[in-house]
Amino acid sequence: EIVMTQSPATLSVSPGERATLSCRASQSITSNLAWYQQKSGQAPRLLIYGASTRATGIPARFSGSGSATEFTLTISSLQSEDFAVYYCQQYNKWPLTFGGGTKVEIK
Amino acid sequence: QVQLVQSGAELKKPGSSVKVSCKASGGTFSPYSISWVRQAPGQGLEWMGRIIPILDIADYAQKFQGRLTITEDKSTSTAYMELSSLRSDDTAVYYCAKGDWLAPWGQGTLVTVSS
């Protein structure tokens, strides 16, 4: 199965600053990558699919980039509601696999 | 826009089985797959398996082979996840979600396995 590795595990950021989250795949997944946001006690919410396409209703401050094995989620100016855990997930090959998550916390 | 509504929390004994439902409200699953993903307390997301309703095909993560059965009832647009031989480490929130990139998600069902 394809192993997804996220870094860092925790990211401390001040409100208004930029956050950059990384996700690496153990083999090429072309652009078949999604990003999710999960807040405490809630189900995950799709942010990005196709590595760079924002899902419906997702603010423009969220952007995704990358292809093959290296991917990035950027939050351009962190808002209070953005502090959460973020997961990447590949859907290039089954089984679907997730990264271990990056927790974005208030600095 | 379809929403996924899951059944309520369950408390189960070790060795028993649990069956969780996921109903599509405001639409149907077709032609998309429905996956089941679980999250143990304080842990990350783990994909368990999926069903493709238009093909009546289910496949499962190797870890759950032999213990997991995913089915669906097209007449009610409801998918089911049944996990047998429950152990304490199966305690988790179980989610259903639609498609390859998973959206939407159900609200989650807490399954607690305890004697």
Side-chain angles (χ1 to χ4, degrees):
Chain A
E1 71 178 41
I2 298 174
V3 177
M4 306 300 293
T5 304
Q6 290 186 244
S7 61
T10 304
L11 187 61
S12 298
V13 185
S14 299
E17 289 188 341
R18 172 186 294 256
T20 303
L21 289 66
S22 296
C23 175
R24 174 176 292 176
S26 61
Q27 61 184 263
S28 176
I29 58 171
T30 64
S31 295
N32 293 322
L33 183 97
W35 289 95
Y36 302 89
Q37 176 193 67
Q38 187 178 33
K39 298 180 181 179
S40 181
Q42 297 184 15
R45 177 177 71 145
L46 176 69
L47 297 175
I48 301 283
Y49 62 94
S52 61
T53 302
R54 278 190 301 279
T56 302
I58 301 303
R61 63 181 181 272
F62 291 92
S63 63
S65 63
S67 64
T69 62
E70 300 285 343
F71 301 89
T72 300
L73 175 69
T74 301
I75 311 171
S76 60
S77 176
L78 270 157
Q79 307 298 302
S80 57
E81 62 267 29
D82 300 336
F83 292 96
V85 180
Y86 293 82
Y87 294 95
C88 63
Q89 173 240 324
Q90 67 81 22
Y91 51 92
N92 192 62
K93 282 186 180 178
W94 299 86
L96 301 183
T97 47
F98 292 91
T102 292
K103 180 180 181 180
V104 177
E105 63 176 27
I106 300 174
K107 187 174 183 180
Chain B
Q1 177 154 337
V2 67
Q3 290 185 304
L4 302 181
V5 180
Q6 298 183 221
S7 48
E10 301 266 10
L11 174 61
K12 293 293 182 180
K13 301 281 190 194
S16 67
S17 298
V18 68
K19 191 170 186 177
V20 179
S21 67
C22 170
K23 181 174 176 57
S25 172
T28 66
F29 300 137
S30 185
Y32 301 100
S33 60
I34 293 290
S35 284
W36 288 89
V37 175
R38 76 177 186 180
Q39 186 170 40
Q43 302 301 308
L45 302 170
E46 180 177 35
W47 183 79
M48 301 176 68
R50 66 166 175 167
I51 189 162
I52 307 174
I54 59 169
L55 300 176
D56 283 327
I57 291 173
D59 62 332
Y60 307 111
Q62 189 170 8
K63 174 179 181 177
F64 299 101
Q65 291 275 1
R67 273 207 312 143
L68 177 62
T69 304
I70 298 175
T71 57
E72 53 91 23
D73 182 340
K74 291 186 184 66
S75 68
T76 60
S77 295
T78 303
Y80 298 92
M81 183 282 299
E82 184 169 20
L83 188 63
S84 62
S85 302
L86 289 169
R87 308 184 288 256
S88 59
D89 62 358
D90 291 317
T91 294
V93 176
Y94 290 77
Y95 295 100
C96 61
K98 182 171 77 71
D100 292 346
W101 57 84
L102 302 171
W105 292 61
Q107 82 275 21
T109 297
L110 175 62
V111 175
T112 303
V113 183
S114 174
S115 55

